[in-house]
Amino acid sequence: MWMSWFLKGTPCLLQVAAHSTPRLPPQRCLSSSLVRVLTKPHTPRFAIPSYYPQGQLWGMSLPISCTRSYKKDTKSILDFPVDPITVTDIKQYLRSKDIPFHDGYSCLHAPSMFLDSAVGVPADTGRESFTMFIDKTTGQFLCKETLVEGSWEDLQDCLEVMQKEGQASLSPHVLLGYPESLEEREEKEQELREVQRIWSSAVPFSDLPDEEAQLVKTMFQISKISNATLKKFAVRLFKPTKSLVFPWFGGRDSSLRGVKLLSAQSMEGGTVAYTEATVPKAGSYHNLFGLPLVGRMDSEVVLTGQEVDTLAVSQATGLPSVALPRGVNTLPPALLPYLEQFKRVTLWLGGDMRSWEASKIFSRKLGLKRCSLVRPGEFQPCPLEALFQGRNLARIVKASIPAAHKSIVSFRQLREDVYGELANTEQVAGVKWTRFPELNRIMKGHRKGELTVFTGPTGSGKTTFISEFALDLCMQGVNTLWGSFEINNVRLAKIMLTQFAMQRLEENLDQYDSWADRFEDLPLYFMTFHGQQNIKAVLDTMQHAVYLYDISHVIIDNLQFMMGQENLSVDKFAVQDHIIGAFRKFATNSSCHVTLIIHPRKEEDDRELQTASIFGTAKASQEADNVLILQEKKLVTCPGRRSLQVAKNRFDGDVGIFPLEFNKASLTFSAPVKGKHKLRKVKGEKGEGSDNEESLGETLKKEETTVKKEKLVKLERPPKATKTPRAVKSPAAGKGTPEGEGKKQP
């Protein structure tokens, strides 16, 4: 759970970067393809995590509601290149401007154009002057000496101005951007005051009584971390919430820019669950904890997922070690320039499979050639646990394996992956759904690198179901990117927010801000495409989203909206096969799960959809790892008119079907608890066929036929002898009997 400080109001859910951007003074390039759930500022307010008393924090009474304010000149836009560029384009442009550079691991290094004009920054012409770092993938640049940063378009503007004016350098203040509003300045000042208040109230461990210090260490399982190490990293204790305080020192003056509070809670089995809170909130907290202790000449670093692991590695090995601000969730590209100096980066993010997968993904950003990975498993736990167990951390770091080449591997490199899957079956199965337990029993979980094809009848609720399907995973930390080409983002966000709140917010507008603030903290992003789109533009957007925000789940709704932009002279089925192949390749290469919605063929209303009902050729079902079908039946005996069928599951072969029940108030689906129509696994044929499956619809048809026969037998019994024989009434007039059934023979 993340702690959000001074959250903002929400006059709307999405802020689309569609307005024009002034070129001089340059502003960061605004995205035309990607947005995130954002809110706009109003009176500062707290969001209290569950471990604080409701409505109170450190003796303060917090406002529960406040007046909403609306602003149009908001600036909280995600940086994203309008036109994707390549490293070749960047190099060619720098050469055309006679700017020297050398190739780094993830950035190009060039002399900074801002040094000579910066006060207190010496100008030199040696290798040390290469202090400007240009991201090879996005073109974003950062001058480490002056902390001037901007987009690739900003850099081009600055170079053009220098050339036109005949200047040798520019002032660091040239990138002014839009001026901050009064509310934004007040918010930053309040955040800074809150940081200072927490830090000044926190107590160094050296000032604590020995018994209290040892008790706190035991609670956080850091009893083997010495006070000297805690003092070295400036770790303190905040007594009101019994939290560890990790400082964020940054800038040219190494000033205090933020803090992270870590709380611990004992769980069953002796494990400890950590809860983090940051000031400022997570989206603005870019602290590489431990970086100020790294020397300029250090060439090796150990990258960890938690601050306590960095303490353990530093104390046990003496090696430089830094912790990522958001653990295994993401490695922001803005941090890459600070890791360029290291020739060897050892990633030890944890001891589970999720950490292992994150290590492999992050190593691609950092550069495979210099990265080594500490494999997970019982022999290599997380650094803190290894220290607690008395392991030799230096030996574990030394024994780390190199990151595999992107195109060639040997079994030696696969061996640990195979062992990891055998030893961690539950983790390998993927992230579990909390709202769809029946889906866990069949599919086992949601896994990276897979392609899921989802289909269902028109108007059956495909988008509504898949939005809750994805929201469930997003609430568990799965970074999600939505590509909705059929309905606009505002409507989609409204649906998801309703599902998130589990209630109709139209009838509870006083709760909107509270739910919207919590919804904003989800790692959820939206493409701004709508209507027919070119597949290349969509794939470029997806690729950059994976790089910038470590997206691990992409939803495309739907495939047919990408086929209209292709060459009309080409067969439409060939175009569809090409698009499906492109998504399959993206999912595999990017280690990202892609959920692709495809409309079915035109079928009879009374026919149940099958895998062969998916529009197009068989390539969709062949390429897919999973095939999900939303079945819709209008039968009296059915407990719910919709059911979800897993028609293909490449992970372990289990397929099955279970009923769904739609709640119109919350726009959510859930499996009915009562009734005999429960989850059933069914065996399919060898290979991908599933013709032998006995679906829920077929079972219901059999039951309905039995009921009909029983009624017909009752109607066909000879009437009792009477003086005047009476004719049997038509079943059409019978109670609950379908029209015309009385004419049929049993």
Side-chain angles (χ1 to χ4, degrees):
M1 179 182 298
W2 300 95
M3 184 176 182
S4 303
W5 301 83
F6 301 104
L7 292 179
K8 307 174 182 179
T10 50
C12 67
L13 282 177
L14 293 179
Q15 178 176 333
V16 182
H19 54 80
S20 59
T21 306
R23 299 297 287 172
L24 281 176
Q27 167 70 3
R28 289 190 177 186
C29 173
L30 304 182
S31 170
S32 62
S33 304
L34 193 66
V35 294
R36 185 181 180 182
V37 176
L38 293 171
T39 58
K40 301 180 183 180
H42 75 310
T43 306
R45 182 176 72 249
F46 292 93
I48 307 302
S50 59
Y51 49 84
Y52 289 111
Q54 182 66 30
Q56 289 192 355
L57 183 63
W58 312 317
M60 298 170 55
S61 298
L62 304 178
I64 298 177
S65 62
C66 52
T67 304
R68 295 171 53 78
S69 63
Y70 294 82
K71 291 179 57 182
K72 293 184 179 180
D73 57 342
T74 180
K75 301 189 302 179
S76 301
I77 303 290
L78 293 179
D79 297 330
F80 192 78
V82 176
D83 297 317
I85 58 174
T86 65
V87 65
T88 303
D89 298 333
I90 298 175
K91 290 180 178 179
Q92 289 178 350
Y93 182 82
L94 294 178
R95 291 191 184 103
S96 68
K97 299 298 181 182
D98 295 326
I99 297 178
F101 65 88
H102 62 80
D103 217 332
Y105 298 102
S106 55
C107 302
L108 297 178
H109 304 190
S112 176
M113 65 186 74
F114 306 103
L115 290 182
D116 293 343
S117 301
V119 179
V121 178
D124 54 36
T125 57
R127 183 179 178 86
E128 294 297 323
S129 64
F130 284 71
T131 57
M132 186 168 66
F133 297 84
I134 307 171
D135 192 293
K136 293 182 180 180
T137 303
T138 64
Q140 292 274 354
F141 76 93
L142 168 69
C143 174
K144 288 179 64 176
E145 292 293 339
T146 60
L147 299 184
V148 176
E149 59 180 347
S151 68
W152 172 241
E153 287 77 11
D154 292 340
L155 182 59
Q156 289 177 303
D157 287 338
C158 292
L159 292 174
E160 296 294 338
V161 169
M162 286 177 56
Q163 187 178 47
K164 183 177 180 179
E165 300 294 334
Q167 300 177 1
S169 61
L170 291 176
S171 167
H173 304 291
V174 69
L175 296 179
L176 296 177
Y178 292 123
E180 290 183 337
S181 66
L182 178 61
E183 291 179 348
E184 289 170 329
R185 287 199 300 269
E186 290 178 351
E187 179 182 349
K188 286 188 176 181
E189 291 173 359
Q190 290 235 31
E191 284 182 343
L192 185 58
R193 286 197 296 269
E194 196 63 39
V195 169
Q196 295 293 343
R197 177 178 359 187
I198 294 173
W199 184 245
S200 61
S201 301
V203 182
F205 273 78
S206 57
D207 295 344
L208 293 174
D210 293 341
E211 292 184 0
E212 183 178 0
Q214 191 60 35
L215 181 62
V216 172
K217 289 183 179 181
T218 303
M219 181 174 63
F220 285 92
Q221 290 189 338
I222 58 172
S223 55
K224 292 198 174 184
I225 302 296
S226 65
N227 286 348
T229 300
L230 295 171
K231 182 179 180 180
K232 175 182 176 182
F233 284 86
V235 180
R236 296 185 179 184
L237 175 68
F238 188 68
K239 289 186 176 182
T241 58
K242 297 182 180 179
S243 303
L244 296 181
V245 181
F246 302 102
W248 174 17
F249 295 111
R252 293 173 54 194
D253 55 353
S254 298
S255 60
L256 183 65
R257 302 179 62 182
V259 292
K260 174 183 285 190
L261 285 80
L262 182 69
S263 301
Q265 182 179 1
S266 298
M267 307 295 289
E268 294 182 1
T271 59
V272 175
Y274 294 103
T275 305
E276 297 178 345
T278 62
V279 186
K281 61 181 182 179
S284 304
Y285 187 80
H286 293 151
N287 177 28
L288 280 173
F289 177 74
L291 187 64
L293 299 177
V294 177
R296 286 181 173 268
M297 302 305 294
D298 289 330
S299 61
E300 181 178 358
V301 69
V302 179
L303 206 59
T304 70
Q306 292 184 337
E307 288 77 6
V308 289
D309 288 336
T310 290
L311 300 177
V313 170
S314 177
Q315 177 175 304
T317 67
L319 295 172
S321 179
V322 297
L324 296 177
R326 296 183 62 185
V328 299
N329 290 330
T330 182
L331 171 57
L335 301 179
L336 297 180
Y338 298 99
L339 300 172
E340 278 289 296
Q341 75 178 75
F342 305 109
K343 297 180 180 179
R344 174 185 168 92
V345 178
T346 301
L347 289 94
W348 194 353
L349 302 183
D352 55 3
M353 290 303 297
R354 186 180 181 187
S355 302
W356 174 248
E357 292 296 330
S359 298
K360 293 189 289 185
I361 294 174
F362 294 169
S363 65
R364 299 176 188 175
K365 289 186 179 182
L366 295 166
L368 292 173
K369 294 182 179 179
R370 64 167 174 164
C371 290
S372 297
L373 315 180
V374 176
R375 61 181 183 267
E378 57 179 322
F379 299 107
Q380 281 79 26
C382 67
L384 183 63
E385 185 178 350
L387 180 67
F388 185 78
Q389 296 175 359
R391 305 287 180 86
N392 190 327
L393 273 68
R395 182 179 299 175
I396 294 177
V397 171
K398 187 176 181 180
S400 59
I401 61 176
H405 189 275
K406 63 180 180 179
S407 301
I408 303 174
V409 294
S410 64
F411 181 71
R412 179 177 178 272
Q413 294 165 317
L414 297 175
R415 178 170 179 165
E416 299 305 326
D417 288 342
V418 174
Y419 174 80
E421 294 205 3
L422 293 174
N424 303 276
T425 54
E426 283 297 317
Q427 296 179 29
V428 172
V431 180
K432 302 294 189 295
W433 287 271
T434 59
R435 300 191 180 194
F436 303 101
E438 293 85 356
L439 206 54
N440 294 329
R441 298 172 196 167
I442 302 177
M443 296 183 62
K444 307 303 182 293
H446 184 269
R447 296 165 290 276
K448 294 182 179 180
E450 292 189 351
L451 174 66
T452 294
V453 170
F454 179 61
T455 190
T458 301
S460 60
K462 293 188 296 295
T463 301
T464 304
F465 171 79
I466 212 67
S467 66
E468 185 182 12
F469 174 95
L471 177 64
D472 189 337
L473 299 168
C474 187
M475 291 169 63
Q476 300 178 66
V478 176
N479 299 343
T480 305
L481 174 65
W482 250 100
S484 177
F485 307 101
E486 191 165 351
I487 65 175
N488 62 52
N489 285 328
V490 174
R491 183 180 172 190
L492 175 61
K494 175 186 173 183
I495 293 173
M496 299 187 73
L497 181 60
T498 302
Q499 294 172 335
F500 181 70
M502 300 287 287
Q503 61 178 310
R504 291 180 61 87
L505 291 177
E506 296 93 330
E507 302 171 358
N508 301 278
L509 287 177
D510 57 325
Q511 301 180 27
Y512 176 77
D513 279 341
S514 175
W515 285 109
D517 287 342
R518 294 170 58 185
F519 189 66
E520 180 187 344
D521 288 336
L522 296 177
L524 179 62
Y525 303 83
F526 297 87
M527 299 186 213
T528 58
F529 298 127
H530 187 65
Q532 294 184 346
Q533 297 296 330
N534 180 274
I535 180 62
K536 185 179 184 302
V538 175
L539 287 174
D540 286 341
T541 302
M542 291 164 54
Q543 192 63 55
H544 275 77
V546 169
Y547 178 79
L548 291 174
Y549 312 114
D550 296 294
I551 297 297
S552 55
H553 186 202
V554 178
I555 303 98
I556 300 296
D557 183 16
N558 57 62
L559 175 71
Q560 277 79 356
F561 276 88
M562 263 164 289
M563 296 175 60
Q565 291 290 320
E566 303 302 323
N567 193 339
L568 296 179
S569 63
V570 181
D571 179 67
K572 62 180 180 180
F573 294 125
V575 172
Q576 177 174 328
D577 290 350
H578 166 71
I579 294 174
I580 292 173
F583 282 126
R584 167 75 271 177
K585 182 178 180 181
F586 171 84
T588 302
N589 294 344
S590 302
S591 188
C592 178
H593 193 116
V594 176
T595 298
L596 184 61
I597 300 177
I598 306 178
H599 285 305
R601 304 174 189 269
K602 294 297 181 181
E603 300 278 9
E604 298 293 336
D605 292 339
D606 58 345
R607 290 190 59 183
E608 191 176 63
L609 296 181
Q610 301 175 356
T611 302
S613 303
I614 300 173
F615 182 83
T617 67
K619 187 177 180 66
S621 59
Q622 291 171 352
E623 293 280 8
D625 297 285
N626 314 290
V627 175
L628 305 181
I629 304 176
L630 184 62
Q631 302 284 6
E632 184 178 27
K633 291 293 178 183
K634 299 180 181 179
L635 299 175
V636 177
T637 57
C638 184
R641 58 191 299 264
R642 297 179 182 89
S643 57
L644 185 67
Q645 178 183 358
V646 180
K648 180 180 179 182
N649 175 14
R650 185 170 283 164
F651 179 71
D652 68 351
D654 283 350
V655 293
I657 188 170
F658 58 91
L660 297 172
E661 184 175 322
F662 181 65
N663 186 324
K664 190 173 182 180
S666 61
L667 303 179
T668 56
F669 290 84
S670 61
V673 178
K674 298 181 180 180
K676 60 182 179 180
H677 301 295
K678 298 181 180 179
L679 167 70
R680 268 189 355 274
K681 293 183 182 178
V682 292
K683 296 182 179 179
E685 292 181 353
K686 294 181 179 179
E688 298 180 3
S690 57
D691 296 337
N692 289 344
E693 296 179 9
E694 183 181 5
S695 66
L696 178 63
E698 293 171 350
T699 303
L700 295 172
K701 287 180 181 178
K702 290 181 179 180
E703 294 174 358
E704 186 182 27
T705 302
T706 302
V707 173
K708 290 178 182 178
K709 288 183 177 181
E710 291 176 354
K711 291 182 178 180
L712 290 174
V713 170
K714 185 176 181 180
L715 290 170
E716 293 295 334
R717 288 177 181 174
K720 294 181 180 180
T722 57
K723 293 181 180 181
T724 305
R726 294 187 302 173
V728 178
K729 290 185 178 181
S730 170
K735 192 173 182 179
T737 308
E739 184 178 356
E741 291 291 340
K743 298 180 180 180
K744 296 182 181 179
Q745 295 295 327

